[in-house]
Amino acid sequence: LEVNTGQIFTLYPDPQNQITALLDASIAGRAPDMDVVEAHEAAVRQQVWVVRDPGVLWAVEQAMAAKHNLIIADGHHRYETALAYRSEQHPPPGATAHYCMAALVSTNDPGLAILPTHREVFGLSVWVWPGCQPLSVALYEFIYLSRCLILF
């Protein structure tokens, strides 16, 4: 692939939720184009609607063009990697290296919930890096499960 497939999670201000309203209106009454339930989390359902209406896409583009101070909530390393890749490739205008996939979410969306990130470490019978444990204990909450350590 000659494209960066790492998605970044970006937040933008939209006090009146204008963009969400545009998108909601465009899918009202339609069945989702994709509707799946997570394989390992039955309570998690993903629904996706494809918006193809040129008028709606233009209106969203115009509303987003005025946005400033977007926040990369997750993926700043992927964004930096995309910029480095573009610089290395010296691509012609319009090439895929000029683009990076992003999820754009309004900071004012009433459904927005950003939960803490956790990391899982499997298969440890003993602490592998004893010198790191004192620092780690100060920075993280630890939950030990059978052969799994979850860091919060």
Side-chain angles (χ1 to χ4, degrees):
L1 285 177
E2 293 183 6
V3 64
N4 187 334
T5 59
Q7 180 173 294
I8 59 173
F9 177 41
T10 309
L11 300 170
Y12 64 89
D14 192 6
Q16 287 76 39
N17 281 311
Q18 173 190 8
I19 295 168
T20 301
L22 287 167
L23 295 171
D24 283 349
S26 75
I27 64 168
R30 282 182 36 207
D33 294 290
M34 184 174 73
D35 191 352
V36 295
V37 175
E38 294 286 336
H40 302 290
E41 297 182 57
V44 177
R45 183 178 185 184
Q46 306 287 338
Q47 295 181 308
V48 176
W49 287 262
V50 177
V51 178
R52 292 187 177 94
D53 182 322
V56 172
L57 297 174
W58 181 86
V60 169
E61 184 179 334
Q62 294 305 304
M64 284 302 296
K67 303 292 181 199
H68 298 283
N69 301 321
L70 276 64
I71 299 167
I72 297 177
D74 182 50
H76 65 278
H77 289 109
R78 290 184 293 280
Y79 179 69
E80 292 168 4
T81 299
L83 293 177
Y85 178 75
R86 183 189 63 192
S87 294
E88 290 172 4
Q89 296 301 308
H90 305 287
T96 57
H98 287 290
Y99 303 96
C100 181
M101 184 168 48
L104 299 163
V105 179
S106 169
T107 56
N108 305 98
D109 189 312
L112 175 63
I114 301 176
L115 303 174
T117 300
H118 65 277
R119 301 289 185 247
E120 299 173 356
V121 181
F122 291 92
L124 294 179
S125 57
V126 296
W127 189 267
V128 179
W129 302 286
C132 293
Q133 189 172 11
L135 176 62
S136 299
V137 169
L139 297 175
Y140 297 100
E141 175 185 343
F142 289 80
I143 297 175
Y144 291 92
L145 302 174
S146 176
R147 298 190 54 109
C148 176
L149 170 65
I150 301 178
L151 308 171
F152 289 93

